[in-house]
Amino acid sequence: MPTAPARPMVKQILTFAVVGVVNTLTYYLLYLLFLVRLPYLAAHVLAFLISMVGSFFLNARFTYRIRPTWRKFLLFPLTNATNFVITTAGVYVIVDVLHAGSRFAPLLASAAAIPVTFVVSRMIMLPKVDTA
């Protein structure tokens, strides 16, 4: 049975993953919507930016239960940068090193990125705790 401090962390990780799924669906639906009127790259960037803002507020409210601040909002894109680096490296390793194929490589790499992205997100969103 998990210890008391571990339970909130597990709940945060699960909530973070659910917010990630909601964020991905939001991005994709916005992308399709914008694609009707915009070139694909503009649709991608706009959908990405809007879904990232939504992800920030969903994570603040549901994952970490904190009050959003401008500082956290401006640092939050670092979580997306972290995710991008890890998923890109993961796709490369899966496809070019392991020769496992490219069809599902992004999904596998994205799943592998969740723990690291969660840690970066947690560092940005939660206040520093004094251990002394």
Side-chain angles (χ1 to χ4, degrees):
M1 187 154 156
T3 61
R7 267 191 220 120
M9 177 76 75
V10 170
K11 188 173 181 176
Q12 283 180 355
I13 292 170
L14 292 174
T15 305
F16 183 80
V18 169
V19 167
V21 169
V22 168
N23 183 53
T24 301
L25 290 173
T26 301
Y27 158 78
Y28 189 61
L29 291 173
L30 288 170
Y31 172 75
L32 292 176
L33 180 70
F34 295 146
L35 199 55
V36 172
R37 296 265 186 209
L38 299 172
Y40 78 92
L41 203 51
H44 162 70
V45 170
L46 192 55
F48 182 84
L49 291 174
I50 292 170
S51 65
M52 185 171 53
V53 170
S55 177
F56 170 75
F57 286 107
L58 288 173
N59 276 303
R61 171 72 176 98
F62 296 107
T63 304
Y64 302 112
R65 301 187 184 277
I66 59 164
R67 187 177 56 93
T69 65
W70 278 108
R71 181 182 182 281
K72 291 172 187 171
F73 180 76
L74 294 173
L75 289 172
F76 192 74
L78 292 174
T79 64
N80 286 290
T82 302
N83 188 295
F84 177 78
V85 168
I86 293 169
T87 56
T88 301
V91 167
Y92 171 78
V93 168
I94 292 166
V95 175
D96 286 340
V97 176
L98 300 177
H99 305 290
S102 60
R103 181 174 216 96
F104 296 107
L107 296 176
L108 294 171
S110 293
I114 290 172
V116 178
T117 306
F118 173 75
V119 169
V120 172
S121 170
R122 200 167 197 277
M123 287 173 21
I124 290 169
M125 299 294 272
L126 292 180
K128 306 283 185 273
V129 178
D130 233 357
T131 56

